Amino acid sequence: MEKTYFLPAEWHFQSYIQLTWPHAGTDWAYMLDEVEECFLNLAREIASRQPLLLVAPEFPAALEDFPYRDRICFVECPTNDTWARDHGFITLIERHSDPQLLDFCFNGWGMKFAADKDNLINSHLAKAGVLNGDYINCRNFVLEGGSIESDGEGTLLTTSTCLLSPNRNDTMSRADIEQYLTERFNLRQVLWLDYGYLAGDDTDSHIDTLARLCPGHTIVYVKCNDKQDEHYGALQSMENQLKTFRTPDGDPYRLLPLPMADPIYDEDGARLPATYANFLIMNTAVLYPTYDQPENDARAAEVLAEAFPGREIVAVDCRTLIRQHGSLHCVTMQYPESVKSI
């Protein structure tokens, strides 16, 4: 029997959700209490619904009296930072076989930040024996989980700005990268989004900050209506390109616009990349970031409820996370059901 592995959609039934916990050795050191409170809220929302895979140099004191501690699988290992979406395994599944746990190279979003410890987290997880699956070494290719979206049916959505950046896989052309992804993930098509960005973004425009695949051949995406906003032109071009995308069967996608978050600035007056596209799909819920913007927060919830009927739409205040230029999806990584081994 020929084995056909595929990259599941995020809404494929899951086991673990991974969090890599902040500590004093990360960039969160100057605001550790604040970010731990945010992670604690996020951990509570996750672990109340499904198992939590927790990675940190030591078990966080903040979780000692955690009400769902029996649902935490803890793995001790050194870490640089907290962005599990980008250093975590990317998992392929097949009906009759164990999953494949793909360990790609994480180089700190194009060598912008130290990643020597984070790039070894997957090795620690594999050796700890907490994941069921075959470890596959893919470290000859730089790839972050936040840079790709799968519908589980052979379509991959990504951005050319990120995957074609010279600080990742600079010896490969667009055609080379598309061929690699097609063969590695057994794809039918790669959709390249050539427009769209967020000010303050360190990732070279990860797709999970701009546009997300959803069930029923749906794409939710960030839309900017303010012509005075610096993002207006690029996001209009992105919307126009999304309208040209087709499924492998030739059908257009259903497009649902998410609101653009009102500007949020750091201590130096630089704009931060706040986005409602950075949500996490779980088995029975969608956790989405909020930014204390009642009208925008509520509208984002309405759009996600339309995209994910039957799932609970759960708000998580991410004003703290955005101060390090990421949000909710960036600090999480889901694993399909068959990956949980204990």
Side-chain angles (χ1 to χ4, degrees):
M1 182 181 300
E2 183 180 355
K3 295 181 179 180
T4 305
Y5 285 90
F6 69 95
L7 180 62
E10 190 166 314
W11 57 89
H12 187 95
F13 199 79
Q14 304 167 2
S15 55
Y16 290 124
I17 299 288
Q18 180 180 335
L19 284 178
T20 303
W21 203 262
H23 56 83
T26 65
D27 288 340
W28 297 106
Y30 75 104
M31 51 180 295
L32 192 56
D33 289 344
E34 292 175 71
V35 76
E36 276 207 325
E37 184 64 28
C38 180
F39 265 74
L40 190 59
N41 291 336
L42 183 53
R44 188 179 299 109
E45 297 294 355
I46 292 170
S48 65
R49 293 172 174 87
Q50 59 195 79
L52 175 62
L53 176 61
L54 181 64
V55 175
E58 59 184 12
F59 192 84
L63 292 174
E64 289 295 344
D65 298 319
F66 190 62
Y68 306 102
R69 186 166 175 178
D70 61 337
R71 306 195 76 182
I72 295 177
C73 176
F74 174 62
V75 176
E76 179 182 334
C77 72
T79 63
N80 297 105
D81 218 320
T82 56
W83 309 105
R85 178 64 45 182
D86 297 333
H87 59 241
F89 279 117
I90 295 174
T91 309
L92 302 187
I93 57 176
E94 202 272 344
R95 175 181 290 183
H96 304 289
S97 305
D98 286 339
Q100 291 185 341
L101 303 170
L102 307 187
D103 185 12
F104 290 96
C105 177
F106 174 58
N107 73 349
W109 309 284
M111 298 175 284
K112 298 182 184 74
F113 302 94
D116 55 314
K117 297 172 184 176
D118 288 346
N119 197 41
L120 296 176
I121 288 175
N122 290 338
S123 297
H124 286 280
L125 291 175
K127 292 173 183 175
V130 299
L131 304 178
N132 174 57
D134 297 324
Y135 175 89
I136 307 294
N137 187 336
C138 301
R139 291 190 190 170
N140 61 340
F141 190 82
V142 179
L143 187 70
E144 301 113 36
S147 70
I148 56 173
E149 280 279 301
S150 172
D151 67 354
E153 300 176 8
T155 291
L156 190 82
L157 177 63
T158 190
T159 63
S160 55
T161 309
C162 178
L163 261 62
L164 303 183
S165 66
N167 50 12
R168 286 176 173 83
N169 300 294
D170 62 313
T171 63
M172 301 176 73
S173 67
R174 178 171 175 148
D176 293 335
I177 291 175
E178 182 164 333
Q179 181 179 359
Y180 176 87
L181 295 172
T182 299
E183 294 175 355
R184 178 73 272 179
F185 296 140
N186 193 29
L187 301 175
R188 299 171 69 187
Q189 65 171 348
V190 178
L191 298 176
W192 294 88
L193 198 56
D194 299 312
Y195 306 96
Y197 78 98
L198 294 177
D201 171 48
D202 293 321
T203 68
D204 302 304
S205 296
H206 271 185
I207 192 66
D208 71 350
T209 68
L210 297 169
R212 304 287 302 280
L213 290 170
C214 305
H217 296 156
T218 297
I219 299 176
V220 300
Y221 66 100
V222 177
K223 181 178 177 64
C224 180
N225 292 314
D226 181 2
K227 293 184 178 181
Q228 304 306 313
D229 192 294
E230 65 176 290
H231 300 95
Y232 180 79
L235 292 179
Q236 284 291 113
S237 296
M238 182 183 82
E239 181 182 51
N240 291 336
Q241 187 179 19
L242 288 171
K243 291 178 180 177
T244 70
F245 286 167
R246 296 292 181 268
T247 71
D249 295 328
D251 299 320
Y253 286 88
R254 179 177 69 143
L255 302 180
L256 298 177
L258 287 163
M260 180 83 184
D262 294 337
I264 302 174
Y265 300 95
D266 68 12
E267 298 85 349
D268 299 319
R271 189 163 177 178
L272 297 169
T275 172
Y276 291 104
N278 210 244
F279 56 85
L280 172 69
I281 308 163
M282 297 180 62
N283 291 333
T284 62
V286 175
L287 308 188
Y288 82 104
T290 60
Y291 304 104
D292 193 28
Q293 300 176 13
E295 185 175 339
N296 289 330
D297 294 348
R299 178 57 189 153
E302 292 172 0
V303 174
L304 294 175
E306 186 176 355
F308 297 95
R311 280 182 169 85
E312 183 184 9
I313 309 301
V314 181
V316 179
D317 188 338
C318 289
R319 286 175 293 167
T320 300
L321 290 183
I322 204 64
R323 288 167 66 182
Q324 280 292 320
H325 306 262
S327 201
L328 194 155
H329 195 248
C330 300
V331 296
T332 56
M333 174 55 86
Q334 78 287 339
Y335 291 91
E337 179 184 20
S338 51
V339 171
K340 188 175 185 295
S341 66
I342 59 174

PDB file of all heavy atoms in Angstrom, residues 77-100:
ATOM      1  N   CYS A  77      14.098  22.072  28.711  1.00  0.00           N
ATOM      2  CA  CYS A  77      15.217  22.272  27.787  1.00  0.00           C
ATOM      3  C   CYS A  77      15.513  23.770  27.674  1.00  0.00           C
ATOM      4  O   CYS A  77      14.650  24.612  27.940  1.00  0.00           O
ATOM      5  CB  CYS A  77      14.933  21.666  26.416  1.00  0.00           C
ATOM      6  SG  CYS A  77      13.724  22.527  25.415  1.00  0.00           S
ATOM      7  N   PRO A  78      16.732  24.126  27.267  1.00  0.00           N
ATOM      8  CA  PRO A  78      17.088  25.540  27.108  1.00  0.00           C
ATOM      9  C   PRO A  78      16.295  26.168  25.962  1.00  0.00           C
ATOM     10  O   PRO A  78      15.984  25.510  24.965  1.00  0.00           O
ATOM     11  CB  PRO A  78      18.588  25.494  26.775  1.00  0.00           C
ATOM     12  CG  PRO A  78      19.043  24.125  27.146  1.00  0.00           C
ATOM     13  CD  PRO A  78      17.864  23.227  26.990  1.00  0.00           C
ATOM     14  N   THR A  79      15.968  27.448  26.096  1.00  0.00           N
ATOM     15  CA  THR A  79      15.243  28.169  25.050  1.00  0.00           C
ATOM     16  C   THR A  79      15.771  29.592  24.932  1.00  0.00           C
ATOM     17  O   THR A  79      16.221  30.182  25.911  1.00  0.00           O
ATOM     18  CB  THR A  79      13.730  28.226  25.343  1.00  0.00           C
ATOM     19  OG1 THR A  79      13.512  28.954  26.555  1.00  0.00           O
ATOM     20  CG2 THR A  79      13.136  26.828  25.483  1.00  0.00           C
ATOM     21  N   ASN A  80      15.689  30.137  23.710  1.00  0.00           N
ATOM     22  CA  ASN A  80      16.005  31.554  23.489  1.00  0.00           C
ATOM     23  C   ASN A  80      14.797  32.442  23.707  1.00  0.00           C
ATOM     24  O   ASN A  80      14.904  33.547  24.240  1.00  0.00           O
ATOM     25  CB  ASN A  80      16.482  31.804  22.053  1.00  0.00           C
ATOM     26  CG  ASN A  80      17.753  31.088  21.699  1.00  0.00           C
ATOM     27  OD1 ASN A  80      17.713  30.098  20.973  1.00  0.00           O
ATOM     28  ND2 ASN A  80      18.882  31.575  22.193  1.00  0.00           N
ATOM     29  N   ASP A  81      13.636  31.955  23.241  1.00  0.00           N
ATOM     30  CA  ASP A  81      12.453  32.804  23.252  1.00  0.00           C
ATOM     31  C   ASP A  81      11.195  31.948  23.311  1.00  0.00           C
ATOM     32  O   ASP A  81      11.270  30.789  23.737  1.00  0.00           O
ATOM     33  CB  ASP A  81      12.456  33.738  22.033  1.00  0.00           C
ATOM     34  CG  ASP A  81      11.927  35.133  22.372  1.00  0.00           C
ATOM     35  OD1 ASP A  81      10.948  35.221  23.133  1.00  0.00           O
ATOM     36  OD2 ASP A  81      12.474  36.127  21.863  1.00  0.00           O
ATOM     37  N   THR A  82      10.066  32.473  22.826  1.00  0.00           N
ATOM     38  CA  THR A  82       8.775  31.859  23.115  1.00  0.00           C
ATOM     39  C   THR A  82       7.936  31.548  21.880  1.00  0.00           C
ATOM     40  O   THR A  82       6.779  31.156  22.019  1.00  0.00           O
ATOM     41  CB  THR A  82       7.949  32.799  24.016  1.00  0.00           C
ATOM     42  OG1 THR A  82       7.840  34.073  23.373  1.00  0.00           O
ATOM     43  CG2 THR A  82       8.594  32.968  25.372  1.00  0.00           C
ATOM     44  N   TRP A  83       8.487  31.665  20.683  1.00  0.00           N
ATOM     45  CA  TRP A  83       7.664  31.637  19.472  1.00  0.00           C
ATOM     46  C   TRP A  83       7.547  30.212  18.924  1.00  0.00           C
ATOM     47  O   TRP A  83       8.144  29.851  17.921  1.00  0.00           O
ATOM     48  CB  TRP A  83       8.216  32.614  18.450  1.00  0.00           C
ATOM     49  CG  TRP A  83       8.428  33.966  19.068  1.00  0.00           C
ATOM     50  CD1 TRP A  83       9.615  34.533  19.422  1.00  0.00           C
ATOM     51  CD2 TRP A  83       7.407  34.901  19.465  1.00  0.00           C
ATOM     52  NE1 TRP A  83       9.403  35.767  19.991  1.00  0.00           N
ATOM     53  CE2 TRP A  83       8.060  36.018  20.040  1.00  0.00           C
ATOM     54  CE3 TRP A  83       6.010  34.903  19.377  1.00  0.00           C
ATOM     55  CZ2 TRP A  83       7.358  37.127  20.524  1.00  0.00           C
ATOM     56  CZ3 TRP A  83       5.320  36.015  19.866  1.00  0.00           C
ATOM     57  CH2 TRP A  83       5.987  37.100  20.423  1.00  0.00           C
ATOM     58  N   ALA A  84       6.722  29.411  19.611  1.00  0.00           N
ATOM     59  CA  ALA A  84       6.598  27.984  19.295  1.00  0.00           C
ATOM     60  C   ALA A  84       6.115  27.732  17.866  1.00  0.00           C
ATOM     61  O   ALA A  84       6.447  26.703  17.270  1.00  0.00           O
ATOM     62  CB  ALA A  84       5.651  27.309  20.287  1.00  0.00           C
ATOM     63  N   ARG A  85       5.325  28.635  17.310  1.00  0.00           N
ATOM     64  CA  ARG A  85       4.841  28.462  15.945  1.00  0.00           C
ATOM     65  C   ARG A  85       5.991  28.286  14.962  1.00  0.00           C
ATOM     66  O   ARG A  85       5.860  27.557  13.970  1.00  0.00           O
ATOM     67  CB  ARG A  85       3.986  29.687  15.558  1.00  0.00           C
ATOM     68  CG  ARG A  85       3.447  29.699  14.139  1.00  0.00           C
ATOM     69  CD  ARG A  85       2.493  28.595  13.856  1.00  0.00           C
ATOM     70  NE  ARG A  85       1.515  28.404  14.918  1.00  0.00           N
ATOM     71  CZ  ARG A  85       0.587  27.461  14.917  1.00  0.00           C
ATOM     72  NH1 ARG A  85       0.512  26.598  13.921  1.00  0.00           N
ATOM     73  NH2 ARG A  85      -0.273  27.346  15.928  1.00  0.00           N
ATOM     74  N   ASP A  86       7.098  28.951  15.249  1.00  0.00           N
ATOM     75  CA  ASP A  86       8.180  28.991  14.268  1.00  0.00           C
ATOM     76  C   ASP A  86       9.325  28.040  14.567  1.00  0.00           C
ATOM     77  O   ASP A  86      10.080  27.679  13.660  1.00  0.00           O
ATOM     78  CB  ASP A  86       8.695  30.429  14.130  1.00  0.00           C
ATOM     79  CG  ASP A  86       7.613  31.352  13.595  1.00  0.00           C
ATOM     80  OD1 ASP A  86       6.721  30.857  12.891  1.00  0.00           O
ATOM     81  OD2 ASP A  86       7.641  32.558  13.897  1.00  0.00           O
ATOM     82  N   HIS A  87       9.483  27.608  15.833  1.00  0.00           N
ATOM     83  CA  HIS A  87      10.515  26.605  16.095  1.00  0.00           C
ATOM     84  C   HIS A  87       9.947  25.209  16.318  1.00  0.00           C
ATOM     85  O   HIS A  87      10.694  24.253  16.447  1.00  0.00           O
ATOM     86  CB  HIS A  87      11.411  27.009  17.281  1.00  0.00           C
ATOM     87  CG  HIS A  87      10.703  27.219  18.582  1.00  0.00           C
ATOM     88  ND1 HIS A  87      10.701  28.435  19.243  1.00  0.00           N
ATOM     89  CD2 HIS A  87       9.981  26.382  19.369  1.00  0.00           C
ATOM     90  CE1 HIS A  87      10.016  28.327  20.369  1.00  0.00           C
ATOM     91  NE2 HIS A  87       9.575  27.079  20.477  1.00  0.00           N
ATOM     92  N   GLY A  88       8.618  25.086  16.360  1.00  0.00           N
ATOM     93  CA  GLY A  88       8.007  23.791  16.620  1.00  0.00           C
ATOM     94  C   GLY A  88       8.022  22.871  15.405  1.00  0.00           C
ATOM     95  O   GLY A  88       8.232  23.297  14.266  1.00  0.00           O
ATOM     96  N   PHE A  89       7.782  21.582  15.660  1.00  0.00           N
ATOM     97  CA  PHE A  89       7.653  20.609  14.578  1.00  0.00           C
ATOM     98  C   PHE A  89       6.500  20.993  13.641  1.00  0.00           C
ATOM     99  O   PHE A  89       5.465  21.511  14.071  1.00  0.00           O
ATOM    100  CB  PHE A  89       7.329  19.216  15.135  1.00  0.00           C
ATOM    101  CG  PHE A  89       8.516  18.448  15.646  1.00  0.00           C
ATOM    102  CD1 PHE A  89       8.600  18.097  16.988  1.00  0.00           C
ATOM    103  CD2 PHE A  89       9.519  18.028  14.785  1.00  0.00           C
ATOM    104  CE1 PHE A  89       9.667  17.360  17.469  1.00  0.00           C
ATOM    105  CE2 PHE A  89      10.592  17.287  15.256  1.00  0.00           C
ATOM    106  CZ  PHE A  89      10.667  16.949  16.597  1.00  0.00           C
ATOM    107  N   ILE A  90       6.659  20.699  12.367  1.00  0.00           N
ATOM    108  CA  ILE A  90       5.566  20.703  11.407  1.00  0.00           C
ATOM    109  C   ILE A  90       5.241  19.238  11.123  1.00  0.00           C
ATOM    110  O   ILE A  90       6.135  18.463  10.760  1.00  0.00           O
ATOM    111  CB  ILE A  90       5.935  21.472  10.134  1.00  0.00           C
ATOM    112  CG1 ILE A  90       6.146  22.955  10.479  1.00  0.00           C
ATOM    113  CG2 ILE A  90       4.859  21.313   9.066  1.00  0.00           C
ATOM    114  CD1 ILE A  90       6.658  23.789   9.324  1.00  0.00           C
ATOM    115  N   THR A  91       3.998  18.851  11.312  1.00  0.00           N
ATOM    116  CA  THR A  91       3.629  17.441  11.328  1.00  0.00           C
ATOM    117  C   THR A  91       2.878  17.032  10.069  1.00  0.00           C
ATOM    118  O   THR A  91       1.927  17.703   9.648  1.00  0.00           O
ATOM    119  CB  THR A  91       2.727  17.140  12.547  1.00  0.00           C
ATOM    120  OG1 THR A  91       3.349  17.647  13.728  1.00  0.00           O
ATOM    121  CG2 THR A  91       2.511  15.646  12.703  1.00  0.00           C
ATOM    122  N   LEU A  92       3.312  15.917   9.479  1.00  0.00           N
ATOM    123  CA  LEU A  92       2.577  15.287   8.388  1.00  0.00           C
ATOM    124  C   LEU A  92       1.904  14.029   8.919  1.00  0.00           C
ATOM    125  O   LEU A  92       2.444  13.346   9.798  1.00  0.00           O
ATOM    126  CB  LEU A  92       3.512  14.907   7.234  1.00  0.00           C
ATOM    127  CG  LEU A  92       4.339  16.017   6.588  1.00  0.00           C
ATOM    128  CD1 LEU A  92       5.063  15.465   5.354  1.00  0.00           C
ATOM    129  CD2 LEU A  92       3.491  17.209   6.223  1.00  0.00           C
ATOM    130  N   ILE A  93       0.734  13.723   8.400  1.00  0.00           N
ATOM    131  CA  ILE A  93       0.033  12.533   8.857  1.00  0.00           C
ATOM    132  C   ILE A  93      -0.367  11.657   7.679  1.00  0.00           C
ATOM    133  O   ILE A  93      -0.432  12.106   6.520  1.00  0.00           O
ATOM    134  CB  ILE A  93      -1.211  12.885   9.702  1.00  0.00           C
ATOM    135  CG1 ILE A  93      -2.168  13.787   8.929  1.00  0.00           C
ATOM    136  CG2 ILE A  93      -0.799  13.552  11.008  1.00  0.00           C
ATOM    137  CD1 ILE A  93      -3.457  14.089   9.695  1.00  0.00           C
ATOM    138  N   GLU A  94      -0.636  10.373   8.010  1.00  0.00           N
ATOM    139  CA  GLU A  94      -1.039   9.377   7.023  1.00  0.00           C
ATOM    140  C   GLU A  94      -1.933   8.380   7.727  1.00  0.00           C
ATOM    141  O   GLU A  94      -1.682   8.026   8.885  1.00  0.00           O
ATOM    142  CB  GLU A  94       0.200   8.690   6.441  1.00  0.00           C
ATOM    143  CG  GLU A  94       0.008   8.038   5.090  1.00  0.00           C
ATOM    144  CD  GLU A  94      -0.471   6.599   5.180  1.00  0.00           C
ATOM    145  OE1 GLU A  94      -0.362   6.004   6.267  1.00  0.00           O
ATOM    146  OE2 GLU A  94      -0.948   6.076   4.159  1.00  0.00           O
ATOM    147  N   ARG A  95      -2.995   7.955   7.078  1.00  0.00           N
ATOM    148  CA  ARG A  95      -4.031   7.177   7.748  1.00  0.00           C
ATOM    149  C   ARG A  95      -3.500   5.906   8.400  1.00  0.00           C
ATOM    150  O   ARG A  95      -3.921   5.528   9.488  1.00  0.00           O
ATOM    151  CB  ARG A  95      -5.132   6.813   6.750  1.00  0.00           C
ATOM    152  CG  ARG A  95      -6.197   5.886   7.324  1.00  0.00           C
ATOM    153  CD  ARG A  95      -7.240   5.524   6.315  1.00  0.00           C
ATOM    154  NE  ARG A  95      -8.102   6.654   5.963  1.00  0.00           N
ATOM    155  CZ  ARG A  95      -9.145   6.559   5.135  1.00  0.00           C
ATOM    156  NH1 ARG A  95      -9.425   5.414   4.553  1.00  0.00           N
ATOM    157  NH2 ARG A  95      -9.888   7.616   4.884  1.00  0.00           N
ATOM    158  N   HIS A  96      -2.560   5.227   7.768  1.00  0.00           N
ATOM    159  CA  HIS A  96      -2.148   3.899   8.221  1.00  0.00           C
ATOM    160  C   HIS A  96      -0.787   3.882   8.921  1.00  0.00           C
ATOM    161  O   HIS A  96      -0.280   2.805   9.231  1.00  0.00           O
ATOM    162  CB  HIS A  96      -2.115   2.932   7.030  1.00  0.00           C
ATOM    163  CG  HIS A  96      -3.411   2.846   6.288  1.00  0.00           C
ATOM    164  ND1 HIS A  96      -4.526   2.229   6.808  1.00  0.00           N
ATOM    165  CD2 HIS A  96      -3.774   3.343   5.076  1.00  0.00           C
ATOM    166  CE1 HIS A  96      -5.524   2.314   5.935  1.00  0.00           C
ATOM    167  NE2 HIS A  96      -5.100   2.993   4.883  1.00  0.00           N
ATOM    168  N   SER A  97      -0.185   5.036   9.153  1.00  0.00           N
ATOM    169  CA  SER A  97       1.183   5.084   9.672  1.00  0.00           C
ATOM    170  C   SER A  97       1.314   6.130  10.773  1.00  0.00           C
ATOM    171  O   SER A  97       0.448   6.987  10.950  1.00  0.00           O
ATOM    172  CB  SER A  97       2.169   5.401   8.545  1.00  0.00           C
ATOM    173  OG  SER A  97       2.050   4.499   7.475  1.00  0.00           O
ATOM    174  N   ASP A  98       2.434   6.043  11.500  1.00  0.00           N
ATOM    175  CA  ASP A  98       2.736   7.073  12.483  1.00  0.00           C
ATOM    176  C   ASP A  98       2.978   8.409  11.789  1.00  0.00           C
ATOM    177  O   ASP A  98       3.411   8.445  10.626  1.00  0.00           O
ATOM    178  CB  ASP A  98       3.984   6.694  13.286  1.00  0.00           C
ATOM    179  CG  ASP A  98       3.717   5.583  14.283  1.00  0.00           C
ATOM    180  OD1 ASP A  98       2.544   5.390  14.645  1.00  0.00           O
ATOM    181  OD2 ASP A  98       4.693   4.920  14.686  1.00  0.00           O
ATOM    182  N   PRO A  99       2.730   9.507  12.478  1.00  0.00           N
ATOM    183  CA  PRO A  99       3.001  10.827  11.886  1.00  0.00           C
ATOM    184  C   PRO A  99       4.490  11.011  11.595  1.00  0.00           C
ATOM    185  O   PRO A  99       5.346  10.309  12.138  1.00  0.00           O
ATOM    186  CB  PRO A  99       2.548  11.794  12.978  1.00  0.00           C
ATOM    187  CG  PRO A  99       1.690  11.004  13.897  1.00  0.00           C
ATOM    188  CD  PRO A  99       2.194   9.603  13.841  1.00  0.00           C
ATOM    189  N   GLN A 100       4.769  11.969  10.741  1.00  0.00           N
ATOM    190  CA  GLN A 100       6.138  12.415  10.510  1.00  0.00           C
ATOM    191  C   GLN A 100       6.301  13.779  11.160  1.00  0.00           C
ATOM    192  O   GLN A 100       5.525  14.702  10.903  1.00  0.00           O
ATOM    193  CB  GLN A 100       6.452  12.512   9.016  1.00  0.00           C
ATOM    194  CG  GLN A 100       6.525  11.172   8.313  1.00  0.00           C
ATOM    195  CD  GLN A 100       6.946  11.307   6.854  1.00  0.00           C
ATOM    196  OE1 GLN A 100       6.855  12.384   6.259  1.00  0.00           O
ATOM    197  NE2 GLN A 100       7.408  10.222   6.289  1.00  0.00           N
TER     198      GLN A 100
END
